[in-house]
Amino acid sequence: MSAPYSDRHPASVESSAPDPDTPNPATDPHAVEVRVMAVPEQLPVMRAVVGDLAMRADFDVDTIADLRLAVDEACSSLVRIAAEQSPLVGRFRSAENLLEFTAEVTSPEASGPRTNTFSWRVLSALTDNVASSVREAGDNADGHVVRIQLSKGRMVHE
Amino acid sequence: MTRADSEHAYRGQNYEELAPLFVEFADLDKRDRRYAELRDRLVTEHLPIAQHIARRFSNRGEAQEDLVQVATLGLINAVDRFDPHRGVDFLSYAVPTIMGEVRRHFRDTGWTVRVPRRLQERHLSISAAISTLSQSLGRAPTPSEIAEHLGISREEVHQGLEAGNAYRSSSLDELLSDTDEIPLGDAIGSSDTELDEVENRAAIRPLLEELDERERRILVLRFFRSMTQTQIAEQVGISQMHVSRLLARTLSRLRDRIEVDVPAESLSD
């Protein structure tokens, strides 16, 4: 987690290695990646994608609506801390009974989203799992990669 | 269906005794105290007509209370614009005016982008299907269940659900802001003990207080009471899609306002 060698700036294997938890469209037929500028105007794109994936997965209408709200909330809080002229990357994976979403931005701040906020409360209520992480950007890039990861499963009906 | 049974009667109710009041009302100056008094009385006395017309449009995906408000607005317009000297009785003038107001609400004011009528209607039928299926299934339906229920394709359900996201639900608040002399709010507002519990300890209270009663209630039920949107829809008496839109709007409004982080302990029970 910590980066004790940051002053030496190695070719940061850790930061460029694919994260097994992140949906990867290159290797996963169920993964979708959307890359937009980290500005509020682009959030409807993220909402539309998650809504569409959830509808096609035939999730119930409550879950579809909650996922749209959750993606909107997660992306909004990341956009607020994103560096100027930087991308917001959304990665979606729609498995049979689970929809996973990861959003990340590059931020000048090392502190990620705080979990004692109203926004986090909203995210927790809308999803089954939500977590955030921060790591150094690496690859000679400045800043920190801040990520919010969330997932929500299909409602189980008897 | 909405034609007056006789010149001054509507659904068995006779409004003939009010006719002379219109003559008096039309000749009054707006600054006259009697003007406001009469206007109030004329609107109140004719309210059953607005309520009846609103009922005729229910089950089309809009909340009954919203429709009653829109119909009442139509009634107010009718009272204000009616000219008793033209030899037409008030009912013949008011009924089409109120119907027109409700229709316009459906057609125009609710949609932020131009959505084809066909899609709007599909949206409304899907909205009604969600409500029916939620009742029978005891949970929110999936798009495929809605498709089967309505006998349309999954693709059509997707389009209808998508169209719902272009629907604006705040039109009523805006419409009604001009007519604040009419105490419509009394019928809508009600105390909410669940909300009190949160408010007592919430640093977010000032922000919640800026919301209207219904938005606040929906927010609390979803995020502090863990109710599903479908359950909230049933409790509040509006459609699930309407709940969804209100939540999206409220969250976005709160995001714009929250500058300071709210400590978690002030929010938890």
Side-chain angles (χ1 to χ4, degrees), chain A residues 55-56 58-62 64-66 68-69 72-73 76 80 114 116-118 121-122 125-126 157, chain B residues 139-144 154-155 158 165 204 222-224 228-230 240 244 248 254-255 261-264:
Chain A
M55 278 194 299
R56 277 166 215 292
D58 207 30
F59 281 51
D60 69 74
V61 293
D62 278 346
I64 296 168
D66 280 353
R68 284 178 60 99
L69 292 174
D72 203 32
E73 190 68 37
S76 298
R80 209 178 309 138
R114 288 167 54 187
N116 61 343
T117 59
F118 177 70
R121 169 98 186 194
V122 165
L126 291 170
H157 310 299
Chain B
R139 57 164 173 85
T142 67
S144 62
R154 282 266 308 267
E155 205 57 41
H158 290 177
N165 298 319
I204 201 173
R222 182 66 195 88
F223 299 121
F224 298 96
T228 66
Q229 294 190 15
T230 300
Q240 181 267 347
S244 186
L254 286 176
R255 274 200 295 270
D261 289 338
V262 179

Side-chain angles (χ1 to χ4, degrees), chain B residues 106-141:
Chain B
F106 274 106
R107 277 182 204 160
D108 301 328
T109 54
W111 302 89
T112 44
V113 295
R114 192 82 194 107
V115 175
R117 180 78 43 78
R118 182 181 48 84
L119 258 189
Q120 294 184 23
E121 278 162 7
R122 183 176 300 155
H123 168 75
L124 293 173
S125 66
I126 288 172
S127 190
I130 290 172
S131 158
T132 308
L133 288 169
S134 298
Q135 288 283 332
S136 59
L137 297 169
R139 57 164 173 85

Side-chain angles (χ1 to χ4, degrees), chain A residues 7-48:
Chain A
D7 54 336
R8 283 203 273 149
H9 221 288
S12 183
V13 175
E14 186 194 328
S15 60
S16 57
D19 186 329
D21 292 340
T22 307
N24 181 353
T27 56
D28 185 341
H30 301 290
V32 173
E33 181 174 301
V34 177
R35 180 180 291 262
V36 294
M37 186 182 270
V39 290
E41 292 73 29
Q42 292 290 6
L43 297 190
V45 177
M46 296 292 185
R47 284 202 298 271

Side-chain angles (χ1 to χ4, degrees), chain A:
Chain A
M1 269 283 86
S2 63
Y5 309 117
S6 56
D7 54 336
R8 283 203 273 149
H9 221 288
S12 183
V13 175
E14 186 194 328
S15 60
S16 57
D19 186 329
D21 292 340
T22 307
N24 181 353
T27 56
D28 185 341
H30 301 290
V32 173
E33 181 174 301
V34 177
R35 180 180 291 262
V36 294
M37 186 182 270
V39 290
E41 292 73 29
Q42 292 290 6
L43 297 190
V45 177
M46 296 292 185
R47 284 202 298 271
V49 171
V50 78
D52 195 69
L53 290 172
M55 278 194 299
R56 277 166 215 292
D58 207 30
F59 281 51
D60 69 74
V61 293
D62 278 346
T63 307
I64 296 168
D66 280 353
L67 276 164
R68 284 178 60 99
L69 292 174
V71 164
D72 203 32
E73 190 68 37
C75 291
S76 298
S77 44
L78 288 178
V79 162
R80 209 178 309 138
I81 59 171
E84 265 185 62
Q85 301 277 311
S86 71
L88 162 70
V89 183
R91 298 189 181 92
F92 309 78
R93 184 173 193 280
S94 151
E96 188 165 344
N97 287 313
L98 187 72
L99 205 146
E100 299 166 280
F101 173 69
T102 301
E104 63 182 40
V105 293
T106 305
S107 170
E109 311 283 328
S111 57
R114 288 167 54 187
T115 54
N116 61 343
T117 59
F118 177 70
S119 172
W120 202 259
R121 169 98 186 194
V122 165
L123 278 175
S124 313
L126 291 170
T127 60
D128 297 342
N129 283 294
V130 58
S132 71
S133 62
V134 182
R135 61 179 166 82
E136 303 243 350
D139 292 341
N140 301 319
D142 287 333
H144 308 265
V145 176
V146 181
R147 172 190 285 182
I148 294 178
Q149 222 165 335
L150 59 86
S151 67
K152 191 173 178 70
R154 192 184 296 281
M155 296 261 274
V156 183
H157 310 299
E158 63 283 2

Side-chain angles (χ1 to χ4, degrees), chain B residues 202-263:
Chain B
I204 201 173
R205 170 164 44 177
L207 295 178
L208 291 178
E209 273 173 359
E210 289 174 15
L211 304 172
D212 75 40
E213 169 93 20
R214 188 173 63 180
E215 289 173 340
R216 208 179 345 168
R217 181 149 168 238
I218 291 171
L219 191 85
V220 167
L221 292 177
R222 182 66 195 88
F223 299 121
F224 298 96
R225 299 287 142 188
S226 297
M227 282 175 69
T228 66
Q229 294 190 15
T230 300
Q231 289 165 341
I232 296 169
E234 196 177 328
Q235 176 152 345
V236 178
I238 61 179
S239 72
Q240 181 267 347
M241 288 163 107
H242 197 165
V243 170
S244 186
R245 291 192 294 271
L246 286 176
L247 279 174
R249 190 181 74 177
T250 307
L251 286 178
S252 133
R253 200 179 285 170
L254 286 176
R255 274 200 295 270
D256 293 343
R257 299 280 295 111
I258 294 181
E259 310 279 280
V260 196
D261 289 338
V262 179

